Amino acid sequence: MNLIKGLQRVKALCRTLRVNREIEDLSETYYNQAYQHKSFIKVSLNKKEVLAGCCVLVSCRLLNWPITMGTISCLLDADSMVVGAVYEEMVKILNIKAPIINVTDVMEAHSQEYKISSVYVPEELAENSKDLTKRAVALVELAADSWIVTGRKPIPIMMAAIYLAWQSLKPTKQRLKYSLDKFCQIAKVNKHKPALKRITEMKEVLCKLGKEIPWVKEPVTPDNVVRLMEDILQHRDALLRRALRTHEDALLADCQASCEDSLIEETAPSQISEVVEQTPDLSSVELCESNAERAKQPGDGDDNQCAASEQHSYTQGSQDSSQNWGKRVLFAPPCVIHAKKRRVEQPEPKDVTGDEEISDSEIDSYIRTPREARDFALAQKMFSMSESEKS
Amino acid sequence: MQLCSSAWTQVLEGPGRSWIRSAGSSLMDESALERYFDDSIANDSSFMLGEELGLQSPTSSLQDSSYLSMKAGPSGDLGAELDLSFLPDDLSTQDDTAEAAQTQASVLDESQDSGVCLDYNSQDSTAADPQQGMSSLGPGTGTSPFCPMTPMTPMTPMTPVTERNIVSTVNLGCPLDLKFIALQARNAEYNPKRFAAVIMRIREPRTTALIFSSGKMVCTGAKSEEQSRLAARKYARVVQKLGFPARFLDFKIQNMVASCDVCFPIRLEGLVLTHQQFSSYEPELFPGLIYRMVKPRIVLLIFVSGKVVLTGAKERAEIYEAFENIYPILRGFRKQ
């Protein structure tokens, strides 16, 4: 019976993944339950196999054995979207609340896939999995803090982290020359295209921190940052704090400069509003405003104008800020920093009641003339005739 | 009614931006579609209109007044809006963009449209009602129902909740010959092998309709309830002109989609931990967190960028209530 076959498949998957007995038992229990449910009892054998994989996946998650959906999809040789759909359905039916995977947890298992130890590749390119994992995990943690991880697929992130970790563990010219493509080739893994973008994003973050290293004199660029990676990761907390402070000071300086400007030109919109964003420390904003207040003291007449221009400039600024607050903070999700350009929305009439008169001419414009209809019908006939001739 | 999911999603490519299409995830299409169809078209018995319009509480009147200011300036009860402006008989050509490649980001980026929310901002900045905290104005006035704060600390401005799509249904009350309609109407599409309905579009309001042989019709793509009704009436008129005794029965708003931007990033991983019963976050499948709110019964898609899509509402008040509920939760995840 198919149920038995399905349970065997569950067992087989568990063995392949080498999970513990508890997970295997739980998976079988879930499979039994789900299989009998009306949503799954009549589905194709293919789907039943996917269901088996999903049961294993959810059990792993519940019992703290991190694996990705991608791994399961690979084992089942199924499309991850299909697996996803079955998974969602199954957790709904069985009313399971499984925790999400933590990328850093999965990293160790993932890095095992890379055949990059000295058994497989020449010494200059080899790294042992432990060092690799440790460095990659640190990088992923940094990426998570700087908004690169949330909302993204985990596997390209892990791939990017491992690649950069590998490069930085021995930043020789040779290794640095290796593109992601080549790296995946020697490590015998399938390349994931999004990993390239992740690499760029991670390097950007590393550069922002690298700039703060006191003993580095040359400018830090994506090209030379890999050499500094070890130091950056080791001191990342301190560097993060420094970078945020530097950024804050820069904003404050901008704000003060523009405060003075706005009082010189009374009607010019000031950039005070610029500061009104995600500053990690609100005291800088308060400081700026108290500066503005103090500067406003001389002459009451100025006050109103200043207030008005401030409000106006604030709304101006709020236009900018609501359009891209991401540009003014140090770290933001990349989708905010590189916001897609919107096409201009056609201005629709706002005051529609729904009961307006509908003009005949408008309706007529949607209807074919008799001539048109005849021509169209004729064309259709000819088209379908030629289609049937072809086949 | 048997539906081919892919046909449906193709059908919704058109002027009407359906979040279903733009969500990009097939697993959401299927169940959302089927639920919707089962509930609305197959059974005529309408849904329970559970919630009362929450016009009493100060917070929702805040939303209403900001919405109304967007509409026409004077504030007042939602229902009492009496601005009768006739539509110009302006048949500008339709922008025939293929919405096929639309990603969820592009739907949400719409909230960046300067046209709608920012005009409102600058118009009202001088007449600043300190209650209108949604798009707060100027240091010193910043108060909002969500974050009472010291005057020195300005609030992060945030876009108001804007309607993106309205889906409605109506019964034309007579059987229709779809082949005939497809032949006689310029704006009609009919591929019976792919989908058992005529797809018709009009320019103003820019919408798409699905017209079935039973006489039932679905209208999508409108930006407000009133526009949806107007559009549905126009489609009915077209069908009438083609010679059918079409009526306009049981017009009903089935779904409303709105979006907004809270303008700060959100730790989705944290949110799914603390609100596990309502949230589903699977970055391997979809970048957003799916939050199923129970009261009101609204589904929210929350993204790391701070953009939020709200859907599943039958009435505007539900959208606003859902937003009011979620905003304080999101603020909690603002910084780590």
Side-chain angles (χ1 to χ4, degrees):
Chain A
M1 200 177 73
N2 283 327
L3 176 56
I4 297 179
K5 273 223 170 98
L7 287 169
Q8 282 175 347
R9 190 79 178 97
V10 169
K11 262 204 176 71
L13 286 167
C14 290
R15 298 286 153 79
T16 316
L17 291 167
R18 285 187 247 175
V19 299
N20 61 40
R21 194 58 216 253
E22 215 187 328
I23 293 178
E24 197 176 311
D25 290 339
L26 189 57
S27 316
E28 287 178 359
T29 313
Y30 281 141
Y31 190 76
N32 258 312
Q33 285 180 349
Y35 189 93
Q36 322 276 18
H37 193 274
K38 58 179 172 156
S39 311
F40 287 114
I41 190 78
K42 290 201 183 135
V43 300
S44 65
L45 286 174
N46 220 345
K47 229 177 179 178
K48 285 181 177 157
E49 195 185 340
V50 172
L51 179 62
C54 292
C55 292
V56 176
L57 175 59
V58 79
S59 309
C60 284
R61 282 196 182 180
L62 284 167
L63 294 170
N64 220 355
W65 190 284
I67 55 167
T68 62
M69 214 172 274
T71 307
I72 293 285
S73 310
C74 233
L75 282 177
L76 296 171
D77 199 18
D79 176 30
S80 55
M81 284 297 153
V82 174
V83 177
V86 173
Y87 180 80
E88 302 261 315
E89 177 98 36
M90 180 195 77
V91 297
K92 195 170 75 171
I93 292 171
L94 299 178
N95 206 7
I96 306 172
K97 282 289 161 202
I100 52 163
I101 52 153
N102 200 337
V103 181
T104 47
D105 291 337
V106 194
M107 182 68 83
E108 193 182 329
H110 182 77
S111 68
Q112 311 279 13
E113 294 180 30
Y114 292 71
K115 310 246 182 298
I116 205 79
S117 67
S118 45
V119 173
Y120 299 103
V121 295
E123 195 58 47
E124 321 85 71
L125 301 175
E127 270 325 316
N128 76 59
S129 151
K130 216 165 131 236
D131 291 337
L132 203 56
T133 305
K134 188 156 169 247
R135 174 92 25 121
V137 164
L139 188 49
V140 168
E141 284 173 359
L142 177 59
D145 284 342
S146 41
W147 298 104
I148 292 176
V149 174
T150 308
R152 263 82 180 277
K153 291 196 169 144
I155 294 182
I157 293 174
M158 294 195 287
M159 178 171 282
I162 290 178
Y163 166 73
L164 286 174
W166 173 78
Q167 280 192 324
S168 76
L169 281 168
K170 206 187 260 172
T172 57
K173 259 213 176 92
Q174 185 194 28
R175 276 205 198 182
L176 294 177
K177 271 221 192 101
Y178 263 74
S179 66
L180 180 66
D181 252 336
K182 268 177 95 178
F183 174 71
C184 292
Q185 263 175 33
I186 59 170
K188 306 220 179 34
V189 293
N190 288 329
K191 185 181 97 154
H192 287 263
K193 247 181 67 183
L196 280 168
K197 285 199 221 139
R198 300 300 158 260
I199 291 170
T200 313
E201 288 165 2
M202 287 180 185
K203 280 188 172 173
E204 263 173 37
V205 169
L206 288 166
C207 284
K208 284 181 184 165
L209 294 192
K211 283 195 198 119
E212 303 297 325
I213 302 180
W215 58 85
V216 169
K217 298 303 171 199
E218 71 216 352
V220 180
T221 70
D223 293 324
N224 61 25
V225 75
V226 178
R227 285 182 218 269
L228 298 169
M229 228 171 91
E230 179 168 353
D231 287 335
I232 295 174
L233 289 176
Q234 193 172 17
H235 305 286
R236 63 183 185 273
D237 290 332
L239 291 172
L240 255 169
R241 278 195 297 270
R242 282 181 72 130
L244 288 171
R245 171 115 293 164
T246 312
H247 184 74
E248 206 184 294
D249 291 342
L251 282 180
L252 187 55
D254 273 346
C255 158
Q256 283 184 328
S258 50
C259 272
E260 289 160 6
D261 286 344
S262 77
L263 292 162
I264 294 170
E265 316 169 32
E266 283 154 355
T267 51
S270 79
Q271 303 305 306
I272 294 174
S273 45
E274 296 289 298
V275 139
V276 181
E277 273 323 290
Q278 279 239 282
T279 48
D281 180 8
L282 289 170
S283 63
S284 66
V285 174
E286 289 175 19
L287 183 59
C288 176
E289 281 165 5
S290 58
N291 280 345
E293 293 284 299
R294 265 182 270 128
K296 268 198 304 185
Q297 288 314 343
D300 282 339
D302 286 341
D303 276 6
N304 293 337
Q305 273 167 325
C306 215
S309 79
E310 252 181 43
Q311 263 198 339
H312 175 61
S313 69
Y314 185 86
T315 56
Q316 287 257 335
S318 75
Q319 281 184 22
D320 297 333
S321 63
S322 63
Q323 270 172 11
N324 206 338
W325 54 267
K327 292 231 156 81
R328 269 167 295 101
V329 295
L330 187 54
F331 296 117
C335 60
V336 176
I337 301 175
H338 307 293
K340 288 203 186 137
K341 275 214 174 79
R342 290 305 309 149
R343 69 161 195 187
V344 179
E345 185 77 9
Q346 310 242 349
E348 298 238 6
K350 288 287 160 203
D351 311 323
V352 177
T353 63
D355 293 316
E356 283 87 347
E357 283 274 311
I358 300 172
S359 71
D360 260 355
S361 57
E362 187 187 345
I363 301 300
D364 283 336
S365 72
Y366 291 119
I367 298 181
R368 294 196 164 114
T369 62
R371 174 73 188 267
E372 251 182 79
R374 275 201 304 273
D375 290 344
F376 182 74
L378 195 60
Q380 258 193 335
K381 209 161 102 181
M382 282 169 38
F383 182 69
S384 60
M385 272 179 8
S386 73
E387 281 290 294
S388 53
E389 268 171 37
K390 277 187 212 163
S391 56
Chain B
M1 176 173 297
Q2 282 303 325
L3 268 187
C4 170
S5 168
S6 57
W8 170 259
T9 51
Q10 273 177 316
V11 146
L12 289 177
E13 286 163 25
R17 292 167 190 263
S18 164
W19 73 268
I20 296 177
R21 176 76 184 127
S22 44
S25 163
S26 60
L27 63 89
M28 280 174 22
D29 290 346
E30 196 95 57
S31 50
L33 285 174
E34 281 159 20
R35 241 184 307 139
Y36 160 67
F37 249 72
D38 286 345
D39 289 336
S40 58
I41 295 194
N43 323 319
D44 258 347
S45 53
S46 32
F47 266 165
M48 288 284 289
L49 291 179
E51 345 292 337
E52 280 187 329
L53 283 177
L55 287 173
Q56 314 320 322
S57 62
T59 43
S60 55
S61 67
L62 162 90
Q63 317 300 356
D64 288 336
S65 63
S66 46
Y67 154 69
L68 287 172
S69 327
M70 267 168 30
K71 254 179 82 141
S75 58
D77 276 350
L78 204 52
E81 194 60 31
L82 281 181
D83 209 341
L84 296 175
S85 51
F86 278 82
L87 282 181
D89 203 18
D90 167 28
L91 306 174
S92 51
T93 52
Q94 210 172 4
D95 183 6
D96 212 29
T97 53
E99 314 272 320
Q102 205 160 92
T103 62
Q104 53 86 4
S106 60
V107 166
L108 301 168
D109 277 344
E110 261 199 287
S111 66
Q112 309 286 34
D113 279 344
S114 38
V116 174
C117 45
L118 303 168
D119 283 346
Y120 153 64
N121 267 344
S122 47
Q123 271 168 25
D124 283 291
S125 61
T126 45
D129 176 2
Q131 282 299 319
Q132 288 181 348
M134 282 265 269
S135 321
S136 85
L137 313 160
T141 64
T143 56
S144 98
F146 313 115
C147 312
M149 53 178 73
T150 64
M152 287 305 272
T153 322
M155 224 180 64
T156 310
M158 152 184 86
T159 63
V161 180
T162 27
E163 303 290 328
R164 296 298 170 194
N165 187 24
I166 310 280
V167 179
S168 58
T169 53
V170 71
N171 184 1
L172 300 178
C174 63
L176 302 173
D177 181 349
L178 298 185
K179 264 211 170 103
F180 180 78
I181 293 176
L183 182 61
Q184 299 291 336
R186 284 180 184 152
N187 54 343
E189 233 180 272
Y190 183 46
N191 287 331
K193 287 189 194 141
R194 253 187 6 184
F195 192 53
V198 162
I199 302 158
M200 195 179 282
R201 301 172 215 269
I202 58 172
R203 287 174 287 263
E204 191 63 56
R206 199 149 153 265
T207 51
T208 305
L210 303 176
I211 305 176
F212 295 87
S213 52
S214 61
K216 300 254 174 80
M217 181 173 87
V218 180
C219 174
T220 69
K223 297 279 188 247
S224 75
E225 302 91 306
E226 298 80 11
Q227 286 183 31
S228 196
R229 209 172 95 83
L230 179 60
R233 282 173 57 220
K234 291 193 181 182
Y235 290 112
R237 281 282 290 274
V238 172
V239 171
Q240 263 177 2
K241 272 255 160 129
L242 293 174
F244 298 92
R247 287 146 74 208
F248 199 74
L249 308 170
D250 308 322
F251 175 79
K252 183 174 172 206
I253 303 288
Q254 297 291 351
N255 187 27
M256 299 173 61
V257 184
S259 70
C260 68
D261 185 354
V262 300
C263 295
F264 52 80
I266 300 170
R267 289 272 170 220
L268 302 178
E269 309 91 342
L271 183 54
V272 75
L273 274 177
T274 56
H275 290 78
Q276 223 190 20
Q277 328 86 292
F278 310 110
S279 319
S280 162
Y281 169 54
E282 295 287 341
E284 291 188 81
L285 298 177
F286 187 62
L289 185 149
I290 303 167
Y291 192 101
R292 293 179 199 277
M293 197 175 278
V294 172
K295 185 163 165 41
R297 219 184 99 206
I298 300 282
V299 173
L300 300 92
L301 303 180
I302 303 168
F303 298 91
V304 66
S305 57
K307 299 205 173 83
V308 181
V309 174
L310 306 96
T311 183
K314 293 266 194 291
E315 287 168 11
R316 202 173 276 263
E318 290 174 2
I319 297 265
Y320 291 139
E321 196 187 332
F323 183 74
E324 285 170 38
N325 289 346
I326 202 76
Y327 188 73
I329 296 172
L330 296 180
R331 289 243 26 162
F333 286 94
R334 180 173 176 163
K335 296 223 164 60
Q336 304 289 44

